[in-house]
Amino acid sequence: MGFWAFLTISNLMIPVLMIVFGRVFIKNPPKTINGIYGYRTSRSRKNQDTWNFAHLYCGKLWWKTGWVMLPLSIIGMVPAVNKGDDIVGRVSGVIVMAECMILFMTIFFVEKALKKKFDTDH
């Protein structure tokens, strides 16, 4: 049960970080374009307008997605309660892989929104 609890808490790290950084990007995004912190893609770094838009859009998307993923991550671990460590580890691995896929999919949506809002010369 201890291993299950540890992995369940570990699985919550991605949704919690998405919620936290989503809120940060909405309320207090990086003020200037930089290569260290923030949503950094070539399209988002074209100019200050794209930078600001990308952070607001990404922040809202991460905020909503994180809140959806949080309970789903817990629910996903329920079938593994009182199972062997091998089963718990596999279930946890599948959940983390799904969370990572969802996290990376958000890049596609932000880039699509940037492309729609800003033409290639902007």
Side-chain angles (χ1 to χ4, degrees):
M1 185 69 171
F3 187 59
W4 179 88
F6 172 75
L7 287 182
T8 300
I9 292 168
S10 297
N11 287 351
L12 300 180
M13 288 175 30
I14 292 173
V16 167
L17 285 173
M18 287 178 76
I19 292 166
V20 169
F21 278 100
R23 193 68 168 171
V24 168
F25 284 176
I26 293 168
K27 295 291 185 183
N28 192 24
K31 304 241 184 296
T32 58
I33 300 170
N34 68 76
I36 298 171
Y37 166 70
Y39 181 85
R40 302 176 319 268
T41 62
S42 59
R43 188 169 275 133
S44 70
R45 292 168 46 169
K46 284 195 180 219
N47 59 52
Q48 194 64 43
D49 290 337
T50 58
W51 180 257
N52 294 338
F53 176 83
H55 281 86
L56 182 61
Y57 194 92
C58 181
K60 289 178 181 178
L61 187 58
W62 280 5
W63 173 259
K64 292 174 189 172
T65 305
W67 280 112
V68 170
M69 286 172 46
L70 193 67
L72 292 177
S73 298
I74 296 169
I75 292 167
M77 286 297 288
V78 170
V81 173
N82 296 324
K83 303 286 190 221
D85 288 352
D86 199 36
I87 300 291
V88 173
R90 288 180 189 184
V91 170
S92 176
V94 168
I95 291 170
V96 169
M97 285 175 38
E99 290 173 344
C100 288
M101 286 174 43
I102 292 167
L103 176 63
F104 287 119
M105 282 175 45
T106 62
I107 296 169
F108 169 78
F109 292 109
V110 176
E111 292 300 303
K112 185 177 176 182
L114 278 166
K115 188 175 182 179
K116 184 177 179 181
K117 182 154 176 77
F118 300 97
D119 63 16
T120 56
D121 296 330
H122 194 244

